[in-house]
Amino acid sequence: DGGITQSPKYLFRKEGQNVTLSCEQNLNHDAMYWYRQDPGQGLRLIYYSQIVNDFQKGDIAEGYSVSREKKESFPLTVTSAQKNPTAFYLCASIADDTGELFFGEGSRLTVL
Amino acid sequence: QKEVEQNSGPLSVPEGAIASLNCTYSDRGSQSFFWYRQYSGKSPELIMFIYSNGDKEDGRFTAQLNKASQYVSLLIRDSQPSDSATYLCAVIPMEYGNKLVFGAGTILRVKS
């Protein structure tokens, strides 16, 4: 089945550590996205990538980094510079014809 | 900053009633509109998308779009307890390419 796989689902991090969240898709979509969701809030765009080897900052990129070396993969690194990283992180890709976003199951990061 | 506004709720309706969820957006040139459902701790899933003024029906769900008034709504007929979730409105503003802007969501509670 086609879809988006995120890992890990749950992650605990000590302050000062970098962590990387994995996102893999087999939908053959060009564009991929990372969103952050905090309790009671909507989704906020961290980074997005329209094609391989290209990515753009979203609304809250500070403290995060990404890479897009392959069409299928769009990992997100949460760096120690992110002051409040505890959140639910969602990876998505978009169908070019309809604009529908397909989401992974999410990764919940908790800073201890 | 393009904005999408939703009443946070919770909206409580009895089982079998019609639930009406509303969303307004700031960018008059927006072209694509989406409703996502999100259960607690899960990723959003698409319910409907609408591009043209008027109504679009899919089973118990009807999306209504009024571009002149810049609002989009979602009606859920014969509401069921399983419809209890957070409903996210999303919009693609003009010149945003394929980036969606999300509202904060409305919590719906269907009481049996």
Side-chain angles (χ1 to χ4, degrees), chain A residues 31 33 35 37 40-43 45 48 50 59 88 90 94 96-101 103-106 108, chain B residues 1 32 34 36 38 40-46 49 51 88 92 96-105:
Chain A
Y33 306 78
Y35 287 92
Q37 188 175 36
Q41 297 191 32
L43 279 65
L45 184 63
Y48 64 101
Q50 306 276 27
D59 300 319
F88 188 46
L90 288 158
I94 199 165
D96 288 336
D97 53 348
T98 63
E100 178 185 355
L101 271 181
F103 287 93
E105 293 188 342
R108 190 168 300 278
Chain B
Q1 180 75 11
S32 305
F34 305 83
Y36 284 83
Q38 186 177 27
S40 180
K42 303 296 184 182
S43 60
E45 54 182 336
L46 182 70
F49 58 83
Y51 303 141
L88 301 170
I92 298 181
Y96 262 43
N98 52 5
K99 290 188 295 179
L100 276 68
V101 177
F102 284 84

Side-chain angles (χ1 to χ4, degrees), chain A residues 66-106:
Chain A
V66 294
S67 62
R68 187 83 186 279
E69 297 177 359
K70 299 186 300 181
K71 186 175 184 178
E72 300 79 16
S73 179
F74 191 40
L76 173 74
T77 297
V78 185
T79 75
S80 57
Q82 170 50 235
K83 297 306 179 187
N84 186 21
T86 295
F88 188 46
Y89 291 88
L90 288 158
C91 179
S93 65
I94 199 165
D96 288 336
D97 53 348
T98 63
E100 178 185 355
L101 271 181
F102 292 79
F103 287 93
E105 293 188 342

Side-chain angles (χ1 to χ4, degrees), chain B residues 44-76:
Chain B
E45 54 182 336
L46 182 70
I47 298 176
M48 295 187 70
F49 58 83
I50 185 168
Y51 303 141
S52 304
N53 273 330
D55 295 358
K56 180 181 179 183
E57 187 174 319
D58 184 1
R60 296 186 297 112
F61 300 96
T62 299
Q64 299 175 319
L65 175 60
N66 184 324
K67 290 186 177 181
S69 299
Q70 294 176 237
Y71 81 79
V72 57
S73 62
L74 180 69
L75 301 178
I76 306 175

Side-chain angles (χ1 to χ4, degrees), chain B residues 18-29:
Chain B
I18 296 175
S20 178
L21 305 165
N22 299 312
C23 169
T24 60
Y25 56 94
S26 63
D27 181 39
R28 183 171 290 277

